Amino acid sequence: MFSVASVSVTVAILTFRRPGEVSEGLPMILDQVQQINSRPGHRADVLVVDNDPEGSARSAVSAFGSPIVRYCVEPRPGISAARNRAIDESAGSRLLAYIDDDERPEPGWLSQLLDVWAPTEPAAVSGRVIPEYERPPEPWIVAGRFFERRSLPTGTELDVAAAGNLLIDLQQVRAFGLRFDDRYGLAGGEDTLFSRALFAKGGRMLWCNESVVVDKVPAARMNREWVLRRAWSHGNTTGLIALDLTAGRARRSVRRVELAVGGLARVAVGSARSTFGRVNGSARHQARGQRLARRGGGMAAAAVGHVYQEYRRDG
């Protein structure tokens, strides 16, 4: 374990109308925060950001009665607003660790993030996310390996990171003037844009393979329709982010053409791969081909300005 003389960290749990998940996960997070507080010179606390204007998680948090747990309601809809509220509410901390309400930290999750950050103080440290299925997945899901995330050697330099298991250095983030973009609050991809912008401004991001959270995959997501809809959404946000990171009207026009051509090429290649899989009896080729085709469709849609709001709220 490597430690610096003094460090303060806030763990932000982002939630929306899932008080039961908060009640289940908060004790595990509290345990790890208390372990950090036992280190000399370290201070850690927990912040629950409730994106439900009605404050549905308030009683779940209050039930713990812990002095190191804070609660706030962010009424503006969207994950970007909740992430930015966590940044604002953590003004007294050097570091901010994000975890979702349906994720469960494995032992050592937080300490591993801090230990990778401490020696060189990068702008961010990203950890591993592994799936836990509510029920056994169907063969199509298994063949496509759709819920499996990356695993890299600890210390690997990154140019993009997801925020489901992410530690950020608030001092550097504020110096770069970065926020999560509200336009992606209901579409998703806000963490991709944020981390790419952080990297573009010179912020170093490192991987920590020993920091692990378990992502609970509900049965409602374990089907072909949901996976392919998510593929379209990811393709769409990938295209929109590429446009946002392209400066100048002329260059953006070129990028739109590239996205349209690239997206349609993925549709063609994905469809061909899926057909090949059906002919040869390969479930993996069928599944991966179908997802690639949908992702390409989302990219092509972004080229003409379509924005798919995956997390749109109807009420």
Side-chain angles (χ1 to χ4, degrees):
M1 180 186 72
F2 189 101
S3 63
V4 293
S6 176
V7 64
S8 54
V9 57
T10 292
V11 175
I13 306 171
L14 309 184
T15 187
F16 177 68
R17 295 181 181 173
R18 290 195 287 209
E21 298 284 10
V22 174
S23 295
E24 181 182 318
L26 189 51
M28 304 177 193
I29 294 169
L30 264 174
D31 180 63
Q32 298 208 25
V33 164
Q34 289 165 345
Q35 291 177 31
I36 297 302
N37 281 331
S38 68
R39 294 184 179 186
H42 285 65
R43 177 180 59 79
D45 65 354
V46 180
L47 170 69
V48 178
V49 181
D50 192 345
N51 204 206
D52 180 6
E54 297 178 1
S56 55
R58 187 185 305 275
S59 59
V61 177
S62 300
F64 287 90
S66 173
I68 59 172
V69 178
R70 294 180 288 132
Y71 173 83
C72 68
V73 172
E74 175 47 63
R76 293 177 301 152
I79 189 66
S80 294
R83 294 201 190 283
N84 287 330
R85 182 64 180 271
I87 290 175
D88 296 338
E89 293 285 337
S90 304
S93 295
R94 171 72 183 270
L95 304 173
L96 174 62
Y98 285 112
I99 187 169
D100 295 336
D101 59 4
D102 58 350
E103 293 178 329
R104 301 293 176 261
E106 291 283 275
W109 159 70
L110 184 57
S111 62
Q112 294 288 351
L113 288 175
L114 295 176
D115 289 345
V116 169
W117 175 83
T120 60
E121 301 184 8
V125 180
S126 181
R128 206 153 42 106
V129 179
I130 60 175
E132 180 182 273
Y133 302 105
E134 184 178 347
R135 59 170 170 77
E138 62 182 79
W140 189 85
I141 297 287
V142 174
R145 302 174 65 179
F146 297 120
F147 293 99
E148 297 180 23
R149 313 282 186 93
R150 62 182 175 176
S151 177
L152 302 168
T154 294
T156 298
E157 299 267 353
L158 306 174
D159 60 4
V160 64
N165 180 6
L166 183 68
L167 179 78
I168 60 174
D169 186 324
L170 291 173
Q171 179 175 293
Q172 296 182 58
V173 166
R174 292 191 176 104
F176 289 133
L178 287 177
R179 304 276 287 179
F180 288 89
D181 196 318
D182 285 329
R183 292 173 300 163
Y184 291 83
L186 297 176
E190 82 297 333
D191 48 357
T192 299
L193 179 58
F194 177 89
S195 59
R196 286 200 181 281
L198 181 60
F199 176 78
K201 289 178 176 291
R204 291 177 62 243
M205 295 186 290
L206 300 180
W207 181 261
C208 178
N209 212 50
E210 291 76 28
S211 174
V212 179
V213 299
V214 176
D215 180 28
K216 298 173 64 178
V217 183
R221 296 185 178 185
M222 296 167 58
N223 59 78
R224 191 173 313 207
E225 180 183 357
W226 189 91
V227 169
L228 295 180
R229 186 168 62 247
R230 170 59 66 92
W232 176 280
S233 175
H234 281 183
N236 189 244
T237 55
T238 295
L240 295 171
I241 289 168
L243 289 171
D244 276 336
L245 294 176
T246 302
R249 181 177 299 179
R251 292 182 64 186
R252 266 196 298 273
S253 295
V254 172
R255 182 56 58 87
R256 287 185 187 279
V257 173
E258 292 173 345
L259 286 170
V261 172
L264 293 175
R266 285 169 171 80
V267 172
V269 171
S271 298
R273 183 177 181 182
S274 179
T275 300
F276 174 80
R278 285 196 299 272
V279 171
N280 290 273
S282 170
R284 176 169 173 78
H285 282 306
Q286 289 183 59
R288 302 290 286 191
Q290 288 172 7
R291 187 176 73 161
L292 178 60
R294 285 296 184 92
R295 186 177 178 89
M299 290 177 62
V304 296
H306 175 73
V307 178
Y308 177 68
Q309 292 189 326
E310 181 179 1
Y311 304 104
R312 182 179 63 249
R313 300 177 185 179
D314 298 321

